[in-house]
Amino acid sequence: MRAPRVCLIEDDPIMGESLCDRFALEGFALDWHQDGESALRRIGHEPYDAIISDVRLPDVSGDELFRRLLARGGRVPPFLFITAYGSIDRAVEVLKLGAADYVTKPFDIEQLIAKTRQVIGAAVPALEQGEAGVLGVSPAIRRVEEMLPRVGAQADTVLLTGESGVGKEMVARLLHAHASAGRGATPFVAVNCGALPETLLESELFGYERGAFTGATRTRKGLFEQAEGGTLFLDEIGDMPAVMQVKLLRAIQERQIMRVGGDRALPVSIRLVCATNKDLRGLVEEGRFREDLYYRIHVIHLRVPPLRERSEDILWLARSFLRARSGAGAARRLSPTAESALLRHDWPGNARELKHCIERACILTRGLTIEPWDLFDSDFAGGAQSASEAGSLSAYLRSCEREFILHALQDHGWRVTETAEGLGISRKNLWEKMRKLSLQAPLE
C-alpha cells in the first residue's frame, strides 16, 4: 500500500519543518511549498490525497488558492486549513465552499494528523505491536513504548508531556537507549529548567568562558556540550524564562551554542528531549511561551498517561518496586487486601507516589507480607474495603478472586495453560473463571 501523499503550504520555516518531520514519521509522503503560487503549479500534476494550507501566505491567501482550484474544475483534494484565531471567519467561508476542516493556532500536531487521516479515508500503516516489559503492561503505556525505537532512530527533537510523577524521565532514558543502540556509551544529561535561577540557566546550558563574570576562573562546558553525541533532557521546559526561550530556540534551530562571554558559535550534535507537566498550548495563548519554540519542540509529541488511566500497571509497577527494594534479601509480597487497596487508590502522584508507598511499606513491615496498613497512613480510608463498599460477602470474595487470577495471568504473560498449572486448577476451569470474571488478555 502506497503512503498517502499530502501537499503542505506553509511559509513559516519552523512550523513547516516540524510538520514535515512528524508527517514523515507517521508514514505520510509530504511535499512542502512555502508559497501559494508554487503549490498551484504542482496541484493537479501530483496525486495528492489531501492539502494542508495556512490561510495567510506571502503571495496568494489560502482561501483564494482554494477558490482558484475550484474555478479550474476537476478534482480538488480534501483541504485542511491552518488559521490564526482572527482569521476563523475566512476559514468558515471556505468550509461553506467545500473545504474539509480547519485547525486554529496554536494547534496540536496529533489533532492535525488525525484530521488528515480522517479526510483521506485511508489507513496509514500503523506501528507493529511489540512486547512490553520496561514501562508497563497496559495498552496505553505499551503504545508509548512501542513508538520509542522508531522515534529514537529518526527524531532529534521530542516533547514529552504528562502529569508530575508519571515517569517522563524514564521514558526519555529509554528513548536514549534505543537511539544509542549499537553506538556504544553516549551521554544522557538531564536538567530541571524550573529548579535553576534565571541568572544561572544560560551558563548551565551553554557554559561560559574564563573571565566571563566574577568567579569564572576557568572555561566550563555547558549541558549542551556535555551531551554531545547523546541526549539532553530538559525537564519542565514550560518553566523556562522568556529570555532563555529565545536563546534556546536559536540553539535548537541552528544546532549551535555560544558560551557566556564567548565570541564564536560552537556546533553541537545532540538529541533534545523536552518535558513538561504544563499545557504548553495554553501558555502560548497566554503569551507566556513562544509560539515558534512550541512548534520547534513539538515535532514529535508523546503523552505519558497518568496512572489512573492505566490501572493494569499499578500492581505491575508495585511488584517491580518491591523486587528492586528487596535486592538480594528475602522477597516481600503484597497480600490480596494490600493489592486491592493499591488498585482502589487514585494515585494523584502517579508512579512516583506508588514508588514511595512501596518504599514506606518495606521499611515499616516486620514480616515478608505487606498489608494495607503498611502501605498507607492510618487515616487512609481506602486501605481496607468496608462492608458497605463490598455490598456483600459474595461481592467481596468475587473481587478478591478476580484480582488474584488477574495477577496470576499477568505473572505468566497471559498464558492460560501455565497460569492454570500455577493456580492448581484445570485449563477449562480457568477459562470459565475468566469468562465469569470478565477477564480478557490485553490486545496485541
Side-chain angles (χ1 to χ4, degrees):
M1 183 177 67
R2 75 173 180 88
R5 192 160 188 178
V6 175
C7 174
L8 172 66
I9 314 168
E10 173 56 64
D11 64 314
D12 186 319
I14 293 176
M15 186 184 298
E17 182 182 344
S18 298
L19 290 174
C20 284
D21 289 346
R22 183 55 190 273
F23 270 79
L25 188 66
E26 294 289 338
F28 292 86
L30 196 81
D31 292 346
W32 175 25
H33 300 272
Q34 293 184 273
D35 61 82
E37 292 294 346
S38 66
L40 277 170
R41 289 192 291 270
R42 298 306 304 162
I43 298 170
H45 298 283
E46 298 290 345
Y48 292 127
D49 297 292
I51 298 173
I52 302 172
S53 176
D54 201 332
V55 169
R56 297 195 177 193
L57 296 169
D59 47 4
V60 57
S61 66
D63 49 330
E64 176 61 24
L65 183 147
F66 181 66
R67 289 185 173 92
R68 287 168 61 175
L69 285 173
L70 291 176
R72 281 184 185 177
R75 175 185 176 271
V76 177
F79 247 83
L80 286 165
F81 283 98
I82 300 171
T83 180
Y85 181 78
S87 302
I88 290 179
D89 55 340
R90 293 168 64 180
V92 172
E93 286 300 316
V94 290
L95 289 185
K96 295 177 182 177
L97 295 175
D101 209 340
Y102 70 90
V103 294
T104 55
K105 299 177 181 179
F107 60 87
D108 192 317
I109 293 183
E110 279 77 11
Q111 178 192 21
L112 181 60
I113 290 170
K115 286 180 180 290
T116 305
R117 285 179 172 145
Q118 183 178 3
V119 301
I120 288 176
V124 175
L127 296 177
E128 294 183 357
Q129 297 266 346
E131 292 189 3
V134 179
L135 298 177
V137 294
S138 67
I141 203 65
R142 286 179 66 183
R143 172 63 181 168
V144 174
E145 187 168 344
E146 286 156 5
M147 288 190 70
L148 296 183
R150 189 174 177 184
V151 172
Q154 300 185 45
D156 58 9
T157 305
V158 180
L159 175 64
L160 304 178
T161 62
E163 296 177 5
S164 179
V166 293
K168 295 187 290 295
E169 183 169 345
M170 178 66 177
V171 174
R173 289 184 179 276
L174 185 56
L175 174 64
H176 170 73
H178 283 299
S180 304
R183 297 172 50 201
T186 58
F188 179 91
V189 180
V191 61
N192 188 324
C193 297
L196 290 174
E198 182 175 351
T199 53
L200 295 180
L201 192 54
E202 182 177 7
S203 60
E204 281 294 316
L205 290 178
F206 305 136
Y208 54 82
E209 298 287 353
R210 179 181 178 182
F213 48 81
T214 303
T217 56
R218 60 181 179 85
T219 297
R220 182 179 183 274
K221 291 183 177 180
L223 299 179
F224 268 81
E225 290 183 84
Q226 294 175 35
E228 178 66 27
T231 301
L232 176 59
F233 178 58
L234 298 182
D235 199 7
E236 302 308 338
I237 188 74
D239 293 331
M240 180 168 284
V243 174
M244 279 304 302
Q245 291 179 29
V246 180
K247 297 178 180 180
L248 177 62
L249 174 63
R250 186 180 304 117
I252 297 173
Q253 190 68 21
E254 299 174 1
R255 281 308 198 256
Q256 293 181 336
I257 57 99
M258 186 175 293
R259 295 174 185 156
V260 176
D263 57 3
R264 63 188 180 92
L266 302 172
V268 289
S269 176
I270 62 165
R271 174 173 296 96
L272 183 67
V273 180
C274 302
T276 182
N277 60 12
K278 291 182 167 57
D279 176 13
L280 288 187
R281 291 181 64 197
L283 294 181
V284 170
E285 292 170 355
E286 295 169 8
R288 296 164 55 195
F289 198 84
R290 291 184 62 93
E291 185 176 9
D292 47 7
L293 178 58
Y294 169 76
Y295 286 117
R296 193 63 192 84
I297 66 175
H298 199 267
V299 177
I300 305 297
H301 172 211
L302 299 178
R303 175 181 176 267
V304 185
L307 202 51
R308 63 180 175 276
E309 293 182 10
R310 45 188 180 106
S311 57
E312 303 95 328
D313 290 332
I314 293 174
L315 295 180
W316 184 89
L317 285 170
R319 291 166 181 167
S320 297
F321 296 148
L322 267 179
R323 287 193 296 270
R325 183 76 186 185
S326 297
R332 291 185 173 88
R333 63 180 296 273
L334 294 160
S335 72
T337 52
E339 292 183 342
S340 181
L342 290 174
L343 291 169
R344 289 198 305 276
H345 190 47
D346 57 4
W347 301 108
N350 294 294
R352 182 185 296 127
E353 181 187 1
L354 175 57
K355 182 179 181 181
H356 293 166
C357 180
I358 295 298
E359 289 176 347
R360 176 184 187 275
C362 288
I363 293 171
L364 294 181
T365 185
R366 295 182 178 180
L368 296 179
T369 301
I370 294 175
E371 300 292 348
W373 48 85
D374 299 317
L375 294 166
F376 302 101
D377 294 331
S378 58
D379 59 350
F380 175 71
Q385 191 174 36
S386 66
S388 60
E389 289 174 324
S392 66
L393 178 60
S394 61
Y396 177 75
L397 292 175
R398 183 181 187 279
S399 174
C400 290
E401 183 182 30
R402 187 183 191 282
E403 296 302 330
F404 189 81
I405 293 176
L406 173 62
H407 306 159
L409 286 163
Q410 291 174 340
D411 286 344
H412 291 89
W414 288 88
R415 292 182 289 274
V416 175
T417 301
E418 292 181 18
T419 305
E421 291 175 355
L423 292 173
I425 60 178
S426 69
R427 191 172 186 272
K428 180 181 178 182
N429 194 356
L430 178 56
W431 273 118
E432 291 174 349
K433 288 182 179 294
M434 289 174 65
R435 179 180 55 80
K436 181 181 68 174
L437 298 170
S438 301
L439 288 170
Q440 292 183 339
L443 295 176
E444 294 299 328

